[in-house]
Amino acid sequence: MKATAMSRTKADVHAVDNDVDVDHPAAQVANGMRSLISAAIPSAGEIVLTDLVRSAGGLSRENWSFDATWTDDSGVHKFPLMLMRDAAGTLLNTERQREFSVLKALANTDVPAPRVFWIDKHGRWLGSPSIVMTRMPGQCDYMVLNSSSPLDARLKLARAFTGLMAKLHTVDWQGHGLATSLGLPEGKPSLHELSYWEAEYRKAQLEPHPELDYILAWLKRRAPRAEAIVLVHGDFKPGNALVEGDRITAKLDWETVHLGDPLEDLGWVTNPVRKREHQIPGHWERREIVAAYRQLTGRNVREADLLWWNIFSCWKLSVIQLTAVAEFVAGRYNRVFQTPSWLYRPMFQMMETADSADSTDGAFGEGSKP
Amino acid sequence: MRPSIEEQLKGTCRVLENVVAPCVNDPMARKILDGLIANLSMLISALPAVPGFLRQDNETTVQLLSTLASSLPAELTARVADTLDKPEPDPVDVAALDARNASLRELLAQAVCIEGLSADQQRAILQHMSERASRAPMRYVATTPSLPPSVKT
């Protein structure tokens, strides 16, 4: 009987690969992983991969889950692993080496993150740049803060997410030598990030977008200074974390990690268009998140600055969607996105609010409006 | 002309949902298929609205460019004048309407970034862009990932 794609990916690939088309992605991954392990551990033999499954998640990379067993000079080893492999059409043009360096550094901190095993920087073994890491316990649910769990548990988890962000922002990136691998922004981190995403915008642009150009010009005029330079996740959200009960077991998806302004992550999670993911209506909203962050870090949070980062978050999201449009049109991406016109009006409203907030120069929690 | 475009799109969605989707077990492929069906469904209502949207957008963009013209640099003002002098395309020629729209919006993208626009001009820009965003006929449709039939109870 001819095996289906699903039965092949779920099978013990080592055992069935004589029957599998070598061009099938699962076979590529299985063969590539065996070669990578052999190269990394020359004495490794009897390399067996089981339960190889590609997960449905991940917009920018392929995520493959499997168990790996091998024998080497020191005995028999078995690890639950995840392979993150660049997809043919990707929405985020990032370098695996940066992510690998950060994950290695985080292994020596109390920020929960997967332990990295190997990197295939240029896709020599796996066909495209890839990282292999431990498969961590827990469930990934981007709507976990608004799930059917009791409110107390969700609130505890919400506080844990803000606590984790504060913890990340206190990582000693200098001590871990991350300036070398990540690069230190010159001048204002806000302008540095804007410049990076403007370049992505121009690459993805298939037609004129006066709205995005108008907002970009506004962002350039209003770019805030940073109170500190910290390790920024760049896509901090419940959907990029594994959770067990009210505990975060791992923060995932570090491909956009960089050194920058702490308000960038805070602006991402307080972005009003992502409320349903980050907030619990009536209990854990923008004001509570900012207050908790201020208390945990002792940082001042200027309202106008945070609004700038909220607008930047929407603008960056627009660029990511335009990248998806361009990749789809080029035949490299298999999901249809549209011009992100739904983001324009929230950005215009925040620009008006920021203009008036800027004149009051207020900080959250000090009598100014949220 | 039967089947009409709407009937063909609706029928395609029905076949994909009822015949193809139940046979797709791979979670990734199923997620992609769900998104494609949702997008086709969106197009059923969006497609007839596109020519009208383009006609109206061209008209209001011409008005806005005329409002901004006095504050633009000479070179841009001349290009705006040249473009505005060209005749409007046939109202049922969607490709021509789209090309005209791209020309007008390219000029608008430059005009709105000029420094020194008055408060009234800024208000006119925001009003135009907000109204356009609310009228845009084609929108991304988020889909809730559905379980493949093999894991449905």
Side-chain angles (χ1 to χ4, degrees), chain A residues 6 9 54-58 208-211 213-214 217 334-339 341-342 344-345 348 352, chain B residues 26-28 31-32 36 39 42 102 105-106 108-109 112-113 122 125-126 129-130 132-134 136 138-140:
Chain A
M6 185 61 178
T9 56
R54 183 179 174 186
S55 93
H209 296 290
E211 297 82 2
D213 289 329
Y214 182 71
N334 295 329
R335 297 187 205 185
V336 198
F337 279 78
Q338 305 291 337
T339 294
S341 50
W342 65 282
Y344 297 166
R345 285 192 295 169
F348 296 145
E352 286 182 357
Chain B
D26 182 83
M28 190 70 192
K31 191 172 178 175
I32 289 170
L36 295 175
N39 193 68
M42 180 274 292
R105 280 174 59 76
E106 188 181 351
L108 186 63
V112 297
C113 295
Q122 299 280 3
I125 290 168
L126 281 175
M129 290 179 170
S130 295
R132 186 185 195 274
S134 68
M138 293 199 286
R139 291 168 184 277
Y140 169 68

Side-chain angles (χ1 to χ4, degrees), chain A residues 303-325:
Chain A
E303 186 178 354
D305 293 351
L306 188 60
L307 274 166
W308 189 95
W309 283 106
N310 290 148
I311 298 162
F312 170 80
S313 299
C314 288
W315 195 85
K316 173 178 159 182
L317 202 54
S318 302
V319 173
I320 293 170
Q321 288 206 8
L322 288 181
T323 305
V325 171

Side-chain angles (χ1 to χ4, degrees), chain A residues 168-229:
Chain A
L168 175 66
H169 291 175
T170 57
V171 165
D172 178 12
W173 53 267
Q174 288 165 306
H176 290 293
L178 288 175
T180 311
S181 46
L182 294 180
L184 201 54
E186 286 178 18
K188 292 177 181 177
S190 51
L191 282 176
H192 184 85
E193 278 303 294
L194 201 53
S195 167
Y196 173 83
W197 285 100
E198 182 181 2
E200 293 296 304
Y201 169 45
R202 299 302 176 202
K203 273 193 271 181
Q205 194 173 5
L206 298 179
E207 60 181 347
H209 296 290
E211 297 82 2
L212 292 177
D213 289 329
Y214 182 71
I215 297 162
L216 175 63
W218 185 94
L219 286 167
K220 283 180 179 172
R221 286 197 301 272
R222 299 292 187 133
R225 293 184 188 285
E227 191 185 324
I229 299 292

